[in-house]
Amino acid sequence: MKPIIEIARQTGIDTDYIEPYGKYKAKLEPELMEQLRNQPNGKLVLVTAINPTPSGEGKTLTSIGLSQSLYALGVRAIAALREPSLGPCFGMKGGATGSGRAQIVPADDINLHFTGDIHAISSAHNLLAAMIDNHLYHGNELRIDPKRITWKRTVDMNDRSLRSIVTGLGSGNGDVRESGYLITSASEVMAILCLSEHMSDLKERLARIIIGYSYDGAPVTASDLKAVEGMAILLRDAIKPNLVQTIEGTPVILHGGPFANIAHGCSSVIGTKTALKLADIVVTEAGFGAELGAEKFFNIKCRQSGLTPSAAVLVVTVKALKYNGQTGAIESPTDSTGLNETTTLQNGMANLRRHVRNLQSFGVPVMVAINHFTGDTEEELALIQEECSRLGVPAEISHVWAEGSAGGEAMARRLLHLLETAPQAFTPLYEDECSLESKIEQIITSIYGGEGAAYAPAASRTLEQLEAQGFGHLPVCMAKTPYSFTDQPRLLGAPNGFTIQVTRVSLSVGAGFVVVETGNTMTMPGLPRVPAAERMHIDAGGTIDGLF
């Protein structure tokens, strides 16, 4: 690893604008954006994926490797990515900093506590929760209805036992009421931090958070509770983007970490806009499959920030296509029956075709990156390339895990050609003026391939109330399983004719969107039967094994 001061200098950042956190990571000061304000923007490339298998298919790996390959070709490139969450790190996936020859370093630090951003978000969120209960305890001047408090607590760990809790038990401990926890990546404070452009914007958004309703039905906000300044103080350093590097010394701005299945799934606007001022090409990613992460990137992040993507790279693997080529509903999300069948791979191409069509519908050029695994056969790789050729989209095999930048050179060159030659006419899926229900229906019919939605009575009432209260102009953030175009994780491929069950609707007015929960979506995940934590080890010298 190079000292972070050297990475800053090679990126064009005056060291007066960095705050080192040790030798290999740093915060970028807010004054940097002011200093860069008149610089032209580089081109923004989104890396997304087809529907993944539960273990993930290398989207972050590909983003890192692509940025390394561009940098090795002499292009000023920066990756603008999300920070890992401790929940998945110790749960199913392990670390989220890439692997092999395409990694972000220092990986152990980044996968653990890093610069404390996610802890700060948890603390700010929980300060507001504590102030709600404290207000009730000391007389409830705002006349908050305890049964209509919507603000839960949060922790950055998968812990299903905390989904529903009762607070205030015991004499003198306040009102006894039902509540719960969500994972920090699903917190509205996380979304707010990632969509804010500066501290003033952050505080304005925090002030708008609705924590519940009074006995008269009026919304009660964080501003009403006088919690905003305290929350902002806790987020003082977290709002600053983090500068790190890849294993090859390519600069990376790592900031924010919302999940894409239950939140908007994109790294921070501040980090992305800073990178665009410093680089000719910025490689960013959006979580899970394109029907979740990319849809929210286009319809939420780009809409709110004014960002215009120049291209999209769709990551596919032989394994994920075979997984999606299983016919009918699989027995379990980890079912691998028939994954060695060529016909299963061919069946899975339907998933690829739908994702390509969806990305093209946003008016951005698309290319496919085939993330290579050692078990892939030449025949299988050729089948994918032939399908991409029929679709009229370029495709390259990525060997970045094994070879680093050299293994992604062909992919990088193909992307450069695409950026130079392909027409770009980015447009979001729907207009602000569309009703909330119309936005939901458009996503289901145009992106998922379904026929429409069936609304739980409470969800329908909430949609009507939000329209009446003047929130109909907001975009919608769909919470859905990442493993299927439907709300059923075991229904794979590219199904048609299905109905999405909308179970709950809630307002995240500070973040600037309406959350639409579908199927059996959980905002607090659980650990798998064998958590990744069981395979980890730290020796007497502090060396960690098994984190990623």
Side-chain angles (χ1 to χ4, degrees), residues 431-511:
E431 300 293 334
D432 290 340
E433 295 73 23
C434 294
S435 68
L436 294 171
E437 188 170 329
S438 173
K439 292 166 185 171
I440 295 167
E441 298 285 338
Q442 284 189 62
I443 292 171
I444 292 171
T445 57
S446 300
I447 302 298
Y448 300 167
E451 291 188 346
Y455 299 88
S460 290
R461 288 194 298 271
T462 302
L463 285 172
E464 291 174 6
Q465 291 165 1
L466 294 178
E467 293 283 359
Q469 293 166 359
F471 295 115
H473 67 285
L474 295 178
V476 295
C477 181
M478 302 290 285
K480 182 184 74 67
T481 176
Y483 303 122
S484 172
F485 277 110
T486 75
D487 55 8
Q488 304 300 313
R490 300 177 187 180
L491 190 56
L492 306 179
N496 293 291
F498 57 87
T499 299
I500 294 286
Q501 304 296 318
V502 175
T503 53
R504 183 174 178 270
V505 174
S506 59
L507 177 63
S508 291
V509 67

Side-chain angles (χ1 to χ4, degrees), residues 148-263:
R148 299 193 66 191
I149 293 172
T150 55
W151 194 256
K152 297 182 178 183
R153 285 167 167 78
T154 190
V155 64
D156 186 31
M157 190 58 64
N158 293 4
D159 192 345
R160 63 175 59 81
S161 66
L162 293 177
R163 289 171 182 163
S164 297
I165 65 169
V166 176
T167 63
L169 292 173
S171 176
N173 293 330
D175 284 25
V176 176
R177 64 181 185 87
E178 293 184 23
S179 185
Y181 274 77
L182 43 79
I183 194 164
T184 304
S185 295
S187 166
E188 186 178 353
V189 179
M190 173 68 83
I192 286 171
L193 182 104
C194 289
L195 291 167
S196 298
E197 304 219 14
H198 43 70
M199 178 57 79
S200 296
D201 186 18
L202 176 76
K203 291 204 289 187
E204 289 171 6
R205 288 172 176 271
L206 292 173
R208 295 197 295 266
I209 291 173
I210 294 174
I211 62 91
Y213 296 86
S214 70
Y215 288 111
D216 300 324
V220 180
T221 66
S223 178
D224 293 331
L225 287 160
K226 300 181 175 61
V228 174
E229 293 298 325
M231 295 172 73
I233 288 168
L234 288 168
L235 297 169
R236 178 190 64 175
D237 294 323
I239 195 173
K240 302 173 185 177
N242 307 291
L243 179 67
V244 288
Q245 61 188 293
T246 74
I247 201 169
E248 295 187 5
T250 305
V252 178
I253 292 180
L254 202 65
H255 198 214
F259 292 162
N261 58 332
I262 50 181

Side-chain angles (χ1 to χ4, degrees), residues 402-425:
E403 302 173 22
S405 59
E409 181 179 338
M411 174 174 59
R413 290 189 183 280
R414 185 66 72 97
L415 174 63
L416 290 172
H417 180 73
L418 187 71
L419 290 170
E420 291 171 1
T421 60
Q424 302 164 21

Side-chain angles (χ1 to χ4, degrees), residues 11 13 28 32 78-82 241-245 250-255 267-268 270-276 278 283:
T11 311
I13 301 172
L28 300 178
L32 176 62
I78 293 178
L81 306 175
R82 295 173 298 162
N242 307 291
L243 179 67
V244 288
Q245 61 188 293
T250 305
V252 178
I253 292 180
L254 202 65
H255 198 214
S267 60
S268 76
I270 296 175
T272 306
K273 287 195 169 184
T274 302
L276 285 167
L278 293 165
V283 179

